[in-house]
Amino acid sequence: MDWSFISKNSLYCRFLNYGLSGENARLETTYLGCNLVIPINDIRCIHIEITNACNLVCANCTRFVGHHKTPFFMTLEMVEKAIDSLEGFPGTVGIMGGEPTIHPQFSEICEMIQAKIPDRRKRQLWSDGCNWTKYEKVIYETF
């Protein structure tokens, strides 16, 4: 099941869940048509794409977010599975999209991240800030 999108330097990587976690997990990386396999411990940050919905429609978006007729929102169960599969990952775990604050369960996802990733320094949020005022408290508590 393909459920998150991450980056390492200028490489865009797609994390595939094969039921593996920790150092056994691998990344399928596509860059200029080349497939590479990178050990997960060589990655500094993994981003979980909780939605492809976006308030913007940027022509230069490499994710083509905001261009979908029907947006995708990860279920809380899927977000939990994604976070749990990264147990022991030494880097940071971020949430992104689309625009993650558009997710209807953004607050619950933040609470889950707080509970499952106790070290605040290992949490990231990638957002354009469109709902910053609405979620300011939970954003500061989480990230």
Side-chain angles (χ1 to χ4, degrees):
M1 174 183 288
D2 174 10
W3 44 260
S4 72
F5 201 79
I6 63 171
S7 65
K8 178 184 180 189
N9 299 328
S10 63
L11 298 178
Y12 286 95
C13 313
R14 190 172 305 244
F15 182 72
L16 301 176
N17 180 12
Y18 293 111
L20 303 174
S21 63
E23 57 188 278
N24 294 325
R26 294 289 181 258
L27 299 171
E28 178 185 294
T29 306
T30 304
Y31 182 66
L32 298 178
C34 302
N35 287 327
L36 307 170
V37 176
I38 300 172
I40 198 165
N41 288 333
D42 289 350
I43 303 295
R44 293 188 186 134
C45 181
I46 292 180
H47 296 134
I48 302 169
E49 184 180 83
I50 64 172
T51 183
N52 64 1
C54 188
N55 58 305
L56 304 173
V57 185
C58 301
N60 64 334
C61 180
T62 60
R63 303 289 300 121
F64 300 110
V65 297
H67 300 270
H68 304 285
K69 291 179 182 175
T70 305
F72 167 77
F73 296 101
M74 287 180 87
T75 64
L76 287 177
E77 295 79 23
M78 191 177 280
V79 174
E80 183 174 30
K81 183 178 179 182
I83 295 169
D84 288 347
S85 74
L86 297 171
E87 184 177 351
F89 175 64
T92 59
V93 176
I95 59 171
M96 66 178 294
E99 172 51 45
T101 63
I102 291 176
H103 194 292
Q105 295 174 300
F106 179 74
S107 292
E108 292 91 337
I109 291 170
C110 288
E111 290 169 9
M112 184 185 303
I113 289 170
Q114 291 175 42
K116 293 189 170 286
I117 307 171
D119 186 350
R120 174 187 232 136
R121 297 170 298 172
K122 291 191 168 218
R123 308 178 206 148
Q124 289 187 353
L125 171 66
W126 284 39
S127 170
D128 66 22
C130 73
N131 287 318
W132 189 267
T133 305
K134 179 178 179 181
Y135 292 114
E136 185 172 8
K137 184 175 188 254
V138 73
I139 289 172
Y140 278 117
E141 290 170 353
T142 308
F143 308 99

